[in-house]
Amino acid sequence: MRTQIKIQQQLNEAYDKLDANEYIANSPVQFIRQIANRPNAIISDTEFCAILSAMVAWGQPQKSIEAAKSLIDMCEWEPTRYIYYGDFYDIPDDKQIYRTLKGKEFKAVLHTLRQWYDRHGSIADVIAKNTGDASFMDLFYMLCQWFAPAHMGNPDNNSACKRITLLLRWMIRKDEIDLGIWQSQRINPSDLYAVLDTATCRQALHLGLVTYPKESWKAVEELTDVFRHWDATDPIKYNLVFNSNNL
């Protein structure tokens, strides 16, 4: 088994060689960046696009990309207007949105979003104005509550919360791939947790980076601890190349 130092070296080399354009083209993040770059887009458009994309970000990558595009197309690339006017309420309860996600659960999430955004405008605005003690984990648990009808997980239930950790990576890290619009002095990339799916968990277990033998919050914490030991300021950069290397 390779030592952690050797694994870290290989991942650092892979990250240095990472083709951001190729990565974006093979990820739902492509739509988030497209929305963000539209001339008339507002921050909530970008946030809603990321949220919708995260809700379908599991299973085969290409299927997730197709599902994300379908949702953005449904909003006619104006998700704030779509959600603000409640157009989603017309979706049948039994409509299959993606895999096990049905219309009833999807609408319940969007209803919560509609109410919250009507009061606050955007998550980025709230973070920018925050002068209290709100933390990264406060944001994390707020998202867990919002997404509960879609069964996106909660650390308290030992869920890996893959779609939520991915959403947070998109919105807190800032580079050529991730957008970083939720980054602040209080909330930054060092807070992020590993994005753990079946393939990542299997590989991390094989390499001896985790001991917990299934996708779970315990395994997420184990892998995150390793990543933070390797890079305390940007630990989740390793997620970008973890499964793409022949380790």
Side-chain angles (χ1 to χ4, degrees):
M1 183 177 294
R2 295 169 177 80
T3 65
Q4 283 199 16
I5 293 176
K6 180 64 173 177
I7 296 168
Q8 180 190 6
Q9 289 174 341
Q10 289 180 287
L11 290 175
N12 279 332
E13 291 172 1
Y15 182 75
D16 290 340
K17 297 176 182 177
L18 180 64
D19 186 326
N21 290 329
E22 180 179 354
Y23 185 97
I24 290 169
N26 291 283
S27 166
V29 77
Q30 63 183 282
F31 307 120
I32 309 169
R33 299 199 72 91
Q34 288 173 31
I35 284 277
N37 291 330
R38 287 170 70 92
N40 298 321
I42 55 179
I43 290 176
S44 57
D45 283 328
T46 304
E47 292 183 350
F48 283 137
C49 183
I51 288 168
L52 293 173
S53 298
M55 289 179 71
V56 295
W58 90 100
Q60 296 179 13
Q62 187 56 41
K63 294 294 185 182
S64 295
I65 292 171
E66 292 170 2
K69 185 178 185 302
S70 177
L71 292 179
I72 306 308
D73 286 344
M74 181 179 69
C75 298
E76 297 182 345
W77 291 75
E78 294 182 348
T80 298
R81 181 204 58 77
Y82 179 84
I83 292 172
Y84 177 81
Y85 286 109
D87 293 352
F88 61 88
Y89 289 120
D90 294 332
I91 297 173
D93 285 353
D94 60 352
K95 178 180 174 61
Q96 184 179 21
I97 303 298
Y98 177 66
R99 300 188 71 180
T100 60
L101 179 62
K102 296 296 182 66
K104 182 178 181 179
E105 293 76 23
F106 182 71
K107 289 188 295 183
V109 174
L110 296 196
H111 175 74
T112 297
L113 292 172
R114 185 170 183 252
Q115 291 184 314
W116 190 92
Y117 275 80
D118 186 54
R119 297 192 304 271
H120 300 288
S122 73
I123 293 175
D125 288 342
V126 171
I127 291 173
K129 296 174 183 176
N130 175 41
T131 57
D133 296 324
S135 67
F136 170 83
M137 289 309 298
D138 292 323
L139 173 60
F140 198 119
Y141 276 106
M142 181 179 76
L143 295 174
C144 289
Q145 291 175 353
W146 285 0
F147 294 137
H151 308 290
M152 290 173 64
N154 189 307
D156 293 343
N157 298 327
N158 199 27
S159 166
C161 304
K162 184 255 184 176
R163 289 175 282 173
I164 298 175
T165 55
L166 180 59
L167 171 64
L168 288 165
R169 196 209 85 197
W170 286 338
M171 305 304 275
I172 294 175
R173 285 188 79 251
K174 185 173 179 59
D175 61 4
E176 292 178 295
I177 295 171
D178 298 320
L179 290 89
I181 65 174
W182 292 349
Q183 187 177 141
S184 70
Q185 289 185 338
R186 192 176 296 276
I187 297 174
N188 57 73
S190 65
D191 298 317
L192 292 169
Y193 283 86
V195 181
L196 191 74
D197 57 17
T198 301
T200 305
C201 186
R202 186 183 300 116
Q203 188 175 28
L205 186 65
H206 172 72
L207 295 170
L209 302 180
V210 301
T211 61
Y212 207 75
K214 66 176 183 178
E215 296 171 64
S216 64
W217 192 250
K218 291 180 180 178
V220 168
E221 289 181 314
E222 285 186 309
L223 187 57
T224 302
D225 284 344
V226 173
F227 287 167
R228 287 176 178 167
H229 179 71
W230 291 346
D231 189 329
T233 59
D234 187 18
I236 310 308
K237 71 180 186 183
Y238 293 109
N239 259 126
L240 298 172
V241 292
F242 194 74
N243 290 324
S244 62
N245 285 272
N246 297 318
L247 296 174

